[in-house]
Amino acid sequence: MMYADLHLHSTASDGLLTPTELVTMAKSLGFSAVALTDHDTISGIAEAKTAGVALGIEVIAGIELSAIDDREYGEVEVHILGYLIDPEHKSLHEVLKLIIESRRDRAIKMVKKLNKLGILISLDNVREIAVGESLGRPHIARAMFEAGYISEIREAFSKDYIGRGGLAYVERFKISPREAIELINGAGGVAVLAHPGYLSDGTSLGEEDIYDYCQAGLQGLEVFYSRHSQEQQCCYKKIAKKFNLLVTGGSDFHGGNEVLLGSVKISFDNVKALKNAI
Ligand code: AMP
Ligand code: ZN
Ligand code: FE
Ligand code: FE
């Protein structure tokens, strides 16, 4: 049986393993293909591909774009996965550059706010942890943890610190799910809705939301996901079928031990269908 994991993070964003380490680990676990899907960056893809060629495992170029959807009941953060994008695409590069710069700017502001709250970490502390270009809240959380201000990473994501709407939180650069989908499609890639059953605020997306994204050009649904229940998996599979969406899946492994590489294994038929969609 050939199987794949299409949702992995490396040190290019907030993962703990380098792209090479990640691909090596996937190969040793028997995967035939993986997709690297770092937050808002494709800077780890070249290294992952080189490792894939050396080890004999297929590496699919991917990205996970963070979008904010303005719905009538409030804003929700929605993640859009992009697969098989052209890494040289000009407007993709321009938008990613803006996002990466704004992430840096946002990190500076959040560190300043934390300092005012008595959390004395510096941007240099964060920079030592964030080796890649895509700076995120997990890097700040790790800096807080290493300095002994919190005893668990998730404490940083409370309203007291950098949780959404928290005292030291700074809003991110906003792109809508529609813009994210169009950006991926424009760069020749396939746009897939990530973990519809597991949004950062604990809610999930339903059929109507997914229908709206289909109108914007969505082509796939991440049905298989480490934090989806059997019930959710079943429900999203039905929705995918109804809207004629590709079925994908992945673990969202970040290198730690909350979610393990190998916890999600999707059939190679899903990978083939994804490639045929191009
Ligand atoms: P950012 O993209 O910088 O806003 O950071 C979002 C990332 O932080 C998510 O993709 C998760 O990896 C991580 N994250 C969000 N909420 C939590 C939490 N409660 N505990 C641990 N990590 C979290
Ligand atoms: Zn992450
Ligand atoms: Fe995500
Ligand atoms: Fe992810």
Side-chain angles (χ1 to χ4, degrees), residues 9 14 39 254:
H9 294 274
D14 58 0
H39 300 285
H254 277 72

Side-chain angles (χ1 to χ4, degrees), residues 8-253:
L8 302 172
H9 294 274
S10 76
T11 47
S13 65
D14 58 0
L16 297 171
L17 303 180
T18 64
T20 303
E21 287 167 341
L22 202 54
V23 174
T24 305
M25 191 172 172
K27 173 70 185 176
S28 74
L29 289 169
F31 281 96
S32 300
V34 287
L36 184 66
T37 54
D38 276 305
H39 300 285
D40 300 332
T41 182
I42 49 171
S43 61
I45 302 290
E47 183 188 321
K49 285 226 180 222
T50 303
V53 169
L55 295 163
I57 166 171
E58 183 172 357
V59 172
I60 292 167
I63 192 166
E64 183 175 25
L65 293 175
S66 303
I68 306 267
D69 199 352
D70 228 337
R71 309 197 80 91
E72 62 267 32
Y73 48 82
E75 286 187 340
V76 276
E77 187 171 329
V78 173
H79 291 176
I80 307 288
L81 294 158
Y83 294 111
L84 302 159
I85 36 188
D86 168 13
E88 309 297 333
H89 197 269
K90 201 164 170 279
S91 62
L92 176 73
H93 263 273
E94 281 166 8
V95 178
L96 291 184
K97 193 164 169 272
L98 276 178
I99 296 175
I100 291 300
E101 279 166 6
S102 88
R103 276 186 168 277
R104 206 168 298 145
D105 194 47
R106 176 174 176 246
I108 294 170
K109 287 180 181 151
M110 284 193 279
V111 166
K112 271 193 190 145
K113 283 190 165 192
L114 284 169
N115 290 167
K116 283 195 183 137
L117 295 169
I119 308 290
L120 304 179
I121 57 162
S122 66
L123 192 69
D124 283 344
N125 299 147
V126 180
R127 269 265 148 246
E128 275 163 31
I129 292 161
V131 298
E133 63 170 20
S134 181
L135 254 171
R137 283 181 291 159
H139 300 119
I140 296 177
R142 271 186 248 154
M144 288 170 69
F145 176 78
E146 282 181 15
Y149 287 106
I150 50 174
S151 54
E152 269 185 296
I153 292 295
R154 65 185 173 90
E155 275 176 55
F157 291 88
S158 73
K159 295 277 181 206
D160 292 336
Y161 303 121
I162 52 172
R164 194 137 203 269
L167 294 175
Y169 180 75
V170 175
E171 199 46 81
R172 56 164 59 257
F173 179 87
K174 279 194 198 176
I175 72 167
S176 68
R178 173 177 283 274
E179 285 168 326
I181 291 165
E182 285 172 356
L183 191 64
I184 291 163
N185 289 163
V190 179
V192 173
L193 179 62
H195 44 77
Y198 187 80
L199 302 188
S200 55
D201 63 355
T203 62
S204 58
L205 295 166
E207 196 173 311
E208 282 177 27
D209 307 301
I210 296 169
Y211 176 78
D212 288 346
Y213 301 148
C214 288
Q215 298 307 105
L218 188 79
Q219 291 142 288
L221 199 58
E222 192 177 46
V223 169
F224 303 105
Y225 184 67
S226 47
R227 290 173 167 116
H228 277 171
S229 65
Q230 283 290 336
E231 219 180 339
Q232 285 177 317
Q233 204 171 286
C234 211
C235 151
Y236 290 120
K237 207 190 257 180
K238 278 187 198 149
I239 295 176
K241 195 163 184 201
K242 183 169 177 181
F243 295 149
N244 201 20
L245 290 167
L246 293 161
V247 169
T248 74
S251 61
D252 208 359
F253 177 61

